[in-house]
Structures are given as structure tokens and as C-alpha cells.
Amino acid sequence: MSAPLDPTLVATPKDFKTDQQVKWCPGCGDHSILVQLQKVLAARNINRDATVFVSGIGCSSRFPYYMETYGIHSIHGRAPAIATGVKCANPELDVWVVTGDGDGLSIGGNHFLHTIRRNVGLKIILFNNRIYGLTKGQYSPTSEAGIRTKSSPAGSIDYPVHPVAVALGAEVTFAARAVDTDVQQLQIVLQRAMDHQGTAFVEVYQNCQVYNADAFEWATDRNTRLDHLVYLEHGKPLIFGKNREKGIRVNGDNLEVVELAKVSPDDLLIHDERTPNPAHAFRLAQMHYPEFPEPMGVFRAVQKPTYEELMLGQLAAAREQKGPGKLDKLFTAGDTWKVA
Amino acid sequence: MGTTTSTKVPAGQKPGPQVRELSQAAVRLAGDSGDGMQLAGSQFTATSAIFGNDVATFPDYPAEIRAPIGTLAGVSGFQINFASREIHTPGDRVDALVAMNPAALKANVGDLLEGGVLVLNSDEFTAGNLEKAKYDQNPLETGELSRYHAFKIPITQQTLEAVKATGLGPKDAARCRNFYALGVLYWLFDRPLESTTRWINGKFSKVPAVAQANRLALEAGYAFGDTTEMFTVRFRVKPAQLRPGTYRSLTGNQAAALGLVTAAEIAKRPLFYGSYPITPASEILHELSECKTFDVRVFQAEDEIAAMCAVIGAAYAGNVAVTGTSGPGMALKQEAIGLAVMTELPCVIINVQRGGPSTGLPTKTEQSDLWQAILGRNGECPLPVLASRSPSDCFWTALEATRIALKYMTPVVMLSDGYVGQGSEPWRIPDPAELPEIKVQFASDPKTFEPYTRDANGARPWAIPGTPGLRHRIGGLEKADITGDVCYVPENHQRMIDLRAQKVANVIHDVPDQDVFGDDGGPLLLVSWGGTFGAVRTAAERAREAGQTVSHIHLRWLNPMPRNLGDILKRFDQLLVCELNMGQLQLLLRGRYLVDTCGLHKMQGRPFMVSEIRDKIDELLGGAA
């Protein structure tokens, strides 16, 4: 993470706003994510001049235009690859990728996978609204099976992918999830992502007011959401419910919802975000509403050398061993001969 | 074979073979793809180059790593042309052919000149191998090789015998037979063994038994030539009169890599090379991966698209950013190249062309990506395009491509091809004073900075992240002039289209006027570009020597084209455009200059032969002069 430009200056969220008019629809979850991120960056007094936002194509990908940092609004699906180039060219920069479910997991699925497995030092925020919004309402790779859209009038026959599970499959070193309207929790997750060395992946359940309204109502409704979400805390058992009356227990290979009144607290699944084996986090990522409460917070946070560190490390090691490269030496490497 | 200049028996020796002096000779080594022919060929090349000959090579190998042993599909060949004068091509037909098995003989003997030397590994002419090569009868027995000086040598047996002392098993021992064959060739062409011996010692320093075995095989092959009375003649090709200097043998891909490292060093910026492995461009990736004492950041991407995109990111962040690929990969990169045009970021895209369409002929050469380079993107999307004409020229082309990219803030396409990229020739190591100046000036003044202002060349400022106060956003949506904000205003789109086109047109200030080989006007002008330079220039030279009035221009710049090109074209009665495609440059010349052209096309995955071009010249000039 880069140092603040001037430690004596205290940034405010306004410092991260651009003069561009924000063009998302009223009620879109993107507004909240933008505001929370601006708050988080300001609170940390992040150096705007050493921060780069890279996006692809889609509603969420307009994000860089609204962040008073450096930025690239690129082409569909390719933001992780472009951001990898930025980070390798200058590892001092804080590089964020903003993507959506279609951009990141459909057209850009390949880059998503490989950026994560390399552990490039990027923060990837995936706005998951489970729909193609910018192209006006086709089903996306995260849409629920059977969803009726313009391109699936008889119901979608695609099974969805689950972003956190995909990231964990590529052994992401940091994975977290939040809901757009849960401002506090979203801020916590974004802060944690910011502090992570290596690829930090954050999925945000984001409401598309126009084409997929209420897709996440179960996760946002004040009256019921606590029954449908479980907040992950490292080292603590998985407990949820309006009155924290329910928990998650391991039963053989499966997880099950239990009532606390009927089981010993010792039987509950304890969350461990630091365990090297991604299987624990992957099991959490398989908890889907309505069968389970869906986990929110940090699934996994482990340390492993980053790609750019290893890349520059090899160069430094070679220079240490053989001295800095000289062109005349390079030119005359191998067999040479003289013509008089 | 070049002209015989003298025939003599060396004094003071037993009456042995005649030594015939040649000005030039072409040799091809052919065998199964596991026979080590590429290696033996590179050693012959290095030895000849160090000896002082001008050399040009052409490797020809199958796309399969290991096609079925002994079959025609598995034949791998390596051709070397070496001379005591300047040469431009690996030669049309060969003076000597080594065939390590029947399939190699069948696939290559048609290119051996009548009376040429044919060295055969007789051990491999078994019933099974003959059948795999689709020979009904053993060609060693039918007399069909009587047109050549054929030498049947039990190379496998002789090799096993020679390396016995090393204790290697029969399989490992037999692997040394390429060095035995090389030894025979070294004797036949009077080449010293030192360079190859040194190479063997270095290469196999950790496995002394293998090093010893290869040395023994090489020496045994040489000694066989010396002691057998089979050969009645051996050949000598004297050193060439090359431009004074220190030389080194390089393939085009190695030269391109060196050019990129050099450009980044001069520019004093890190080099970022993002690439996905693809034949025949991968050697650039390999070469640069070895350059770790320089600030060369090599990113092996997950695919062609990611490679190009990472290059865009690295360029934005201030590196000298380059990607390399071949035809199909170029097609995949095109959308991202469009983004580089729109964001006006400097980068270089090297396309080492191969046979297409689709997967096509991965290991064979072609020039069919010219349209793809110039026209291959959505929208009005111009960028500078230049092509290298020979292996060593890849060094200079890569340097120039990088210089132009940085000067004009634009992606630049450098076209190479399989023939140039994998062929080799001597490269004169340049003096530092010969290298161009490459200056990088990043924007730094927040008071005056706007992302889409332009300098005198039409280039926008390069403002890299990390610079205080220059925060700005770029992207693929149309930009407003000056501010770079997203802009859909109709007049602005027209203006930006014009500005981007003008910027690329401005590169003309860095394109030298076209020079003409031969007369400034006349009945016939040969026009070529890229890797066909050698064959076309040689054809022009020979035609002129024969009294024909033929001129030749070879284009380095395809976009923009030299300022005086139109005038030159109009001074000739006939224009013959020679290219390894079906007329891509022809269409561009007709479109730009309203001139009629005639084309010589060849789509066989192989370079032009000089004779093919000369035949066409004869046809157009109404027969030989």
C-alpha cells in the first residue's frame, strides 16, 4: 500500500469524487459501493496519485470515471489483465479492479482465474447483480437457473457460478462478501481488502433496480435478513438469526442449520479465515439461500508471495549474482568473430 | 553451387580428393524430427559464420513435436547457404544433402542439384522405414540416385562403434549420429571442428560421458571423410568480405529480443514483455526470459488477449511495453490493440507471421497478415506498421518500432515471419554511436496537464500513475479533444478520428525516402516487403547481371509508406509485387497510388526461390535478355 501523499493533510471522501456526473440509475447498488469506497480510502488517507482503478465493460465498469485517482475504463472482461500490467510495471501503485458478474465471470472468466492463481497484488471488487444491466436485461453467469429474462423467456437453462467459490477454486489468498446496502459491513470488508497483500477478492451483492430488482431482497430486508445471512468472524462459531438463536454445524461431509437451544455450542462450526487449506472457505461458499444463511465477511485471508514480488525478486537476484546487465556484454554473448 | 575458381590437390599430401573452391554452397541436413537436424544445422551455421563466410539459414520442421518416427510427416530439415561473398537467401536448391532416413531422402532429394553430394545413413534404409516413407523399392538399389554423388554410409553403426569407449547404452549412443553426420560434412566442406567441440563441452558439461560421445562421433565422422576413399572431391568456401566489425550469428527472433532490450536501455525504462507461447514467435519470449540482469519484466500470460492487455497496463504505468505473437494470436489481440489506439499508449506488437488461415501451417512461413496489421480492427483504427527484411534486421526493426511508439504515443506493429524469425545470419554488432536516440518525457506539470493535448508530432502526453497531480481516466469510449473526458458529441468524434489519423500520418517524418536498386525508371520494377527481401534482391541482381533492365524496391514501412513511393511507382512500365500472400500489398498500392500492378504469389509455406522470381521477370520482359 502506498504512503499518503502528505501525512499532515487529512483526506475526505469528497477528495475522491470527480467532476463527472454519476450516471447510474437511481436506486442502483453501485452508488453505495462508490460512496463506501470513497469513505474507506479517505479514512486511510490513501494517496490518490498512486492509486489506479481499472475496469472492463458494464454498468459497474463506469466506476473509474467517478474516482479521483488514475484509471482505465478498458474493454470487456480484460480489467484483471490490464491491472496485472499496471502492477508489474509499478508495484508501488495501489491497483483496484472493478468488475461485474458478466464482465468478470463470463467474458473475463479466464483472466479472473489466472490473476487470482498468480496472486497479483490487486483488489478485485465484483459487483454481482446477477443480470446484464448495460445491455438491458439478459441473464448473466450468476443468474439463478430458471430466471426469465429477455434472452430466456422460457427460463434460463444455465446453472449459475458462485463468484467466491470460483475465486477459492483458484486459491485466492483473500475472499470476502458483502451486501451493497449493508454500509458498515461493506466498509469493513473493503478495508480488509485494502490491507491485504496479494489478490483480494470482494463480491458485493448489488441491486439492479431496473432489470433484477429484489434479487437480493432476502439479504436486504430489515425484518428477515438476519435469518438469511451469517456474519463470519475469525475464530468464532457460525451463529445467526434475529436473536442469534441458530448456528451451523458439521454433519459428516455436510453442513446443517441447527437451533442453539438443542445443541452444545462446542458442536458449531468455528470460522478460521487463516487456515491454509481453502476447503473450509469453499464449504462456506457453498451455503446458498434459502437452504442456508449466506456467509458475509471474510472467507479467507492467507499470506503468500505476490506475483510482482516474485517477478522483481528474480530480477534483483540475477543482478546481485551477475551484476547489472550491460548492452555490450549482451551483444557479444556467445560466439563472435571479427572481420577486419 | 558457386563458380569453381580453382581445382588443386594440396601439395605434400598423398593423392587424395580434389579440393574444389566455391564462392557459395548450400547444404541441407534432413532427418527424422528426433534426429537432431536443427542442432546439427545450427552448429554448421555457427562454424561457417565464425570461419568468416556470409551465411543464411532456413529451418524447416514439422508442427508435431514427435510425428511418428520414420514417416514423411516427421521429416525435419535445416538448410544453410554459406559463401565467400554477400548472400541474401538460404539458397534455392542445395549442393549437398544429408538424409538420415528414407523419408528424409524422399522429402528432400528433389531440391538437390544434379551432381550434388548426397550423404545417406544406409543403416536406416530398412524394409520398415522404406514402407513408412512410401518407397516400393529401395532407392539405394534402383539406380534412381545415379544423378547425384551418393554416399551410403552406415552412420548409425559407425557412431555406435565410435562412442563405445564412453559406455553409453545403445539408445544414447545412437543419439550422437547427428554429430557423426556433421563430422562428415565438416570434412567435406573443410570446416574446423573447434567451435562445435567447444559448444559440446559447454552444453554437456554436467554429463561428461555424453559430451565425450558427441565429440567422438563428430571426430569419427570427420576421420571417415579423411580415411575413406569414397570421396573424390571436397570443397572449400573462403571467408567473405563482410563489412569490418565484430559479428555474431543470430536468428530473427533473437535479434528482435536484443533490439527490444536495447531500446528499453536507451529509453532508460523497464521493458515489459507480455506474451503467450505461439509458434514461431516463442523464441522472443525465451530470449527475453534470459535477460534478467536487465530490467526486463516478462509476463507469460494466460492467453493472447491477456498478453496484449497487460502490455496496455504496463504502458500506462510507464514501461516500454511489447507483445509478440503470430497470426492467430494477432487476431485475438485486435480488440485490445484498438484500445491502445484509443488510449494512445505506446506499445509494440510483433507478429512473426506463419501460414494461415486459422491454425494453418504453424511452422511454415507466409506474409498473409499484412491486411490484418493495417486494417484488422473495428472502427477507423490506424497505426504504424513496419516489417523486418532479414534475421539481423529484426534488431533494427524492433528498435525503430519502439522508438516510433514512444515518440508518437501509439501502438506499432512490427511484422516478421517464420522464415526471418527462425532463420539466422551474421549480425554485425553495432557501435553505441550507431544506435538511435530514444527519449522518454513524462508529463509532470499539474498546472498545464490535460490528457489529450498534443505535441508537434500529434502525440498526447504520457502521464504515468504515481505522478503528483496528474490524475486522469482513460478508456475505450470516445475521448473529448484536450480533456479526454467521455464525449459523444458528433463533431468531436470526427475531430478525434482525424487527429488519430493525422498522428499516424505524421510518422512519415521518420520514414526515410525509398531507395531504388537499379535504374530510377524503366520497363520493370520489383516491389517487395518483409522477409522476401533476400530472394527478390538476389533475383534482381542476377537479372541485371544477365543484362535485363530490372529495378527493385523493398519496403520497410507499410504504414505510412515512403513519401516518394508514388512517384517511383509511376516511373516504371510494369510493377511486379512479390509477396507470400495472394496480393495484400498489391491491393494497398493500387488503392493508394492508383497504379496497376502484377503480382507474384506463393502460398506453399515456403519462401520464394530466386528462380521463381527470375522466371516471372523473364515472362514480363518477354524472355531472357
Side-chain angles (χ1 to χ4, degrees):
Chain A
M1 196 173 48
S2 60
L5 180 57
D6 178 351
T8 61
L9 294 176
V10 179
T12 69
K14 221 180 132 213
D15 292 324
F16 287 88
K17 286 183 181 143
T18 65
D19 59 359
Q20 301 291 300
Q21 186 195 349
V22 179
K23 288 182 181 163
W24 291 314
C25 307
C28 174
D30 292 1
H31 293 283
S32 167
I33 305 171
L34 176 65
V35 169
Q36 303 328 315
L37 196 51
Q38 285 167 337
K39 280 185 190 161
V40 167
L41 293 174
R44 285 295 177 85
N45 218 11
I46 291 298
N47 181 359
R48 300 175 299 175
D49 292 323
T51 303
V52 184
F53 276 83
V54 185
S55 67
I57 293 293
C59 293
S60 61
S61 288
R62 296 300 177 97
F63 204 89
Y65 292 124
Y66 311 136
M67 291 299 297
E68 186 50 56
T69 61
Y70 285 86
I72 305 179
H73 173 217
S74 76
I75 46 178
H76 209 6
R78 317 300 172 201
I82 290 173
T84 297
V86 173
K87 189 70 180 176
C88 292
N90 184 358
E92 302 293 308
L93 300 170
D94 282 346
V95 185
W96 295 74
V97 170
V98 174
T99 184
D101 39 319
D103 187 64
L105 291 169
S106 197
I107 191 167
N110 200 33
H111 312 306
F112 183 78
L113 166 70
H114 292 283
T115 301
I116 286 173
R117 93 175 147 80
R118 292 189 188 105
N119 199 34
V120 185
L122 309 173
K123 294 99 180 56
I124 303 176
I125 317 295
L126 186 145
F127 298 15
N128 184 5
N129 58 12
R130 298 185 175 172
I131 199 79
Y132 282 110
L134 196 64
T135 51
K136 302 189 166 65
Q138 302 82 9
Y139 61 96
S140 88
T142 58
S143 294
E144 290 172 305
I147 188 173
R148 287 174 195 275
T149 69
K150 283 181 186 162
S151 58
S152 59
S156 160
I157 53 172
D158 281 25
Y159 301 110
V161 290
H162 302 290
V164 171
V166 173
L168 288 166
E171 301 193 21
V172 71
T173 51
F174 180 94
R177 186 195 280 150
V179 179
D180 56 3
T181 51
D182 190 343
V183 171
Q184 235 179 353
Q185 212 253 333
L186 180 56
Q187 284 188 22
I188 291 170
V189 160
L190 291 173
Q191 271 168 17
R192 288 285 311 271
M194 200 161 68
D195 293 340
H196 182 72
Q197 308 287 315
T199 308
F201 173 68
V202 178
E203 178 190 18
V204 183
Y205 284 171
Q206 173 247 322
N207 182 43
C208 175
Q209 190 65 23
V210 177
Y211 296 107
N212 203 16
D214 307 329
F216 296 110
E217 197 184 8
W218 53 271
T220 53
D221 182 89
R222 276 166 203 276
N223 297 319
T224 57
R225 67 185 181 96
L226 292 179
D227 289 325
H228 302 154
L229 303 177
V230 54
Y231 289 91
L232 300 173
E233 287 179 87
H234 178 66
K236 302 230 171 114
L238 269 69
I239 296 174
F240 69 105
K242 218 172 291 172
N243 305 309
R244 292 183 64 78
E245 75 283 14
K246 287 177 275 191
I248 301 295
R249 182 172 76 171
V250 180
N251 182 2
D253 284 343
N254 299 310
L255 298 179
E256 61 181 1
V257 175
V258 291
E259 295 197 17
L260 291 193
K262 294 180 185 165
V263 299
S264 152
D266 295 344
D267 289 349
L268 296 180
L269 175 62
I270 308 289
H271 180 47
D272 181 358
E273 64 185 33
R274 295 173 202 159
T275 180
N277 185 341
H280 164 74
F282 191 78
R283 187 150 64 176
L284 300 179
Q286 295 300 325
M287 292 169 60
H288 301 304
Y289 171 82
E291 192 189 352
F292 285 102
E294 297 211 359
M296 293 293 145
V298 177
F299 286 66
R300 175 172 161 88
V302 297
Q303 286 303 316
K304 163 158 110 171
T306 66
Y307 184 79
E308 64 276 12
E309 212 176 300
L310 295 171
M311 174 186 262
L312 295 189
Q314 284 191 346
L315 300 184
R319 275 193 291 266
E320 188 153 314
Q321 212 187 341
K322 302 176 193 163
K326 291 266 185 307
L327 277 185
D328 53 349
K329 261 198 189 162
L330 182 71
F331 287 174
T332 53
D335 281 327
T336 61
W337 67 95
K338 275 195 165 42
V339 172
Chain B
M1 204 174 291
T3 45
T4 302
T5 53
S6 77
T7 303
K8 60 181 179 189
V9 177
Q13 288 184 18
K14 63 176 177 173
Q18 290 181 335
V19 174
R20 198 177 292 165
E21 286 207 358
L22 308 172
S23 59
Q24 167 266 331
V27 171
R28 188 182 300 170
L29 289 129
D32 200 63
S33 56
D35 279 341
M37 293 297 99
Q38 302 298 321
L39 174 58
S42 334
Q43 281 305 309
F44 195 100
T45 309
T47 290
S48 299
I50 292 167
F51 181 72
N53 297 128
D54 197 6
V55 297
T57 72
F58 179 53
D60 188 16
Y61 59 97
E64 294 75 20
I65 297 301
R66 208 63 186 88
I69 298 176
T71 61
L72 287 162
V75 173
S76 169
F78 193 103
Q79 182 164 324
I80 311 114
N81 194 9
F82 56 107
S84 59
R85 55 181 163 83
E86 204 184 327
I87 47 170
H88 307 303
T89 80
D92 288 3
R93 299 178 73 194
V94 296
D95 303 292
L97 171 67
V98 175
M100 298 295 279
N101 67 9
L105 175 68
K106 188 162 209 180
N108 290 284
V109 74
D111 292 335
L112 180 61
L113 288 161
E114 202 152 316
V117 173
L118 178 58
V119 175
L120 298 154
N121 181 5
S122 54
D123 289 334
E124 296 295 321
F125 283 72
T126 60
N129 280 346
L130 289 166
E131 197 189 324
K132 281 189 216 162
K134 303 198 164 35
Y135 272 118
D136 295 332
Q137 285 178 294
N138 189 343
L140 304 191
E141 289 158 10
T142 58
E144 63 185 278
L145 303 177
S146 60
R147 273 175 292 163
Y148 315 107
H149 290 298
F151 302 103
K152 298 164 231 174
I153 307 173
I155 292 177
T156 310
Q157 279 312 316
Q158 296 264 21
T159 304
L160 292 176
E161 195 64 34
V163 308
K164 224 179 208 168
T166 62
L168 284 184
K171 206 173 159 193
D172 286 337
R175 275 207 190 123
C176 303
R177 61 185 183 270
N178 57 337
F179 280 101
Y180 186 95
L182 188 61
V184 174
L185 271 188
Y186 279 178
W187 180 84
L188 204 50
F189 287 95
D190 196 18
R191 316 265 92 181
L193 303 183
E194 285 76 23
S195 156
T196 295
T197 305
R198 199 162 58 233
W199 182 88
I200 291 172
N201 292 343
K203 178 78 182 175
F204 301 106
S205 61
K206 288 185 183 142
V207 268
V210 175
Q212 193 197 356
N214 282 322
R215 269 194 321 263
L216 288 171
L218 179 73
E219 287 158 10
Y222 194 90
F224 178 83
D226 234 356
T227 52
T228 184
E229 293 183 358
M230 206 183 251
F231 297 108
T232 56
V233 66
R234 65 194 295 208
F235 307 96
R236 187 169 290 154
V237 178
K238 282 186 173 171
Q241 288 303 308
L242 297 173
R243 190 173 159 191
T246 304
Y247 282 78
R248 169 185 178 189
S249 180
L250 278 184
T251 67
N253 284 340
Q254 288 174 321
L258 275 187
L260 296 175
V261 176
T262 305
E265 281 286 302
I266 298 174
K268 299 191 177 68
R269 296 302 303 161
L271 173 65
F272 180 90
Y273 187 74
S275 185
Y276 185 72
I278 186 168
T279 305
S282 298
E283 291 86 6
I284 304 176
L285 174 67
H286 306 163
E287 282 298 316
L288 290 172
S289 299
E290 295 284 349
C291 295
K292 296 215 188 300
T293 56
F294 294 88
D295 195 346
V296 176
R297 306 173 185 195
V298 175
F299 172 58
Q300 182 177 309
E302 58 270 27
D303 59 33
E304 295 281 357
I305 298 171
M308 185 62 218
C309 287
V311 159
I312 291 171
Y316 183 59
N319 284 14
V320 170
V322 182
T323 185
T325 187
S326 187
M330 184 73 183
L332 284 165
K333 291 181 194 299
Q334 292 282 16
E335 186 201 11
I337 296 173
L339 178 64
V341 168
M342 197 67 158
T343 52
E344 303 190 40
L345 288 170
C347 52
V348 174
I349 302 106
I350 301 177
N351 179 354
V352 186
Q353 299 164 97
R354 66 190 218 185
S358 188
T359 311
L361 304 170
T363 59
K364 311 295 179 194
T365 199
E366 212 162 274
Q367 294 184 298
S368 46
D369 288 345
L370 178 60
W371 285 348
Q372 191 183 202
I374 294 183
L375 310 168
R377 293 157 296 282
N378 62 304
E380 288 286 330
C381 200
L383 47 70
V385 179
L386 74 174
S388 52
R389 69 185 201 179
S390 72
S392 64
D393 187 46
C394 288
F395 173 82
W396 297 103
T397 315
L399 253 180
E400 185 66 353
T402 311
R403 187 179 76 83
I404 295 298
L406 298 173
K407 180 172 174 182
Y408 292 89
M409 289 292 284
T410 178
V412 173
V413 173
M414 165 178 159
L415 291 173
S416 172
D417 62 50
Y419 167 74
V420 163
Q422 300 197 318
S424 64
E425 65 178 4
W427 173 62
R428 192 180 54 79
I429 296 170
D431 287 336
E434 290 175 69
L435 300 173
E437 202 182 3
I438 301 180
K439 266 196 268 178
V440 169
Q441 185 76 53
F442 293 127
S444 59
D445 183 5
K447 286 191 201 89
T448 55
F449 174 72
E450 292 278 6
Y452 276 74
T453 53
R454 287 172 199 281
D455 66 11
N457 300 317
R460 74 175 191 89
W462 196 2
I464 62 171
T467 313
L470 299 194
R471 296 176 303 275
H472 65 286
R473 277 67 55 188
I474 56 174
L477 287 170
E478 183 59 283
K479 301 279 155 289
D481 190 17
I482 312 292
T483 67
D485 290 338
V486 175
C487 181
Y488 298 101
V489 174
E491 294 76 12
N492 178 75
H493 181 52
Q494 180 73 59
R495 176 159 175 72
M496 294 307 286
I497 292 283
D498 294 342
L499 284 170
R500 286 188 289 264
Q502 186 57 52
K503 180 174 80 168
V504 174
N506 288 346
V507 173
I508 195 78
H509 299 305
D510 279 279
V511 175
D513 272 355
Q514 182 65 45
D515 57 346
V516 183
F517 173 78
D519 309 293
D520 283 344
L524 179 61
L525 177 70
L526 309 182
V527 183
S528 60
W529 66 277
T532 52
F533 168 77
V536 181
R537 177 57 51 92
T538 304
E541 283 172 355
R542 300 228 181 118
R544 290 180 66 81
E545 281 161 19
Q548 290 173 310
T549 313
V550 179
S551 299
H552 174 214
I553 57 171
H554 185 81
L555 296 176
R556 176 189 196 73
W557 278 97
L558 284 318
N559 193 41
M561 288 182 181
R563 216 185 307 239
N564 60 338
L565 180 61
D567 290 341
I568 294 172
L569 297 178
K570 284 169 185 141
R571 293 201 297 263
F572 289 86
D573 301 337
Q574 295 185 89
L575 305 173
L576 175 62
V577 183
C578 308
E579 43 184 343
L580 299 175
N581 58 50
M582 293 307 288
Q584 300 194 1
L585 177 61
Q586 243 186 312
L587 182 86
L588 296 175
L589 293 178
R590 284 172 170 163
R592 287 180 188 180
Y593 302 107
L594 298 176
V595 290
D596 195 15
T597 62
C598 166
L600 179 61
H601 315 298
K602 180 175 179 181
M603 300 296 283
Q604 299 172 12
R606 312 198 62 175
F608 279 124
M609 293 209 277
V610 173
S611 59
E612 293 164 338
I613 300 165
R614 291 208 60 192
D615 288 348
K616 189 73 182 175
I617 294 171
D618 290 347
E619 184 195 316
L620 291 175
L621 291 180

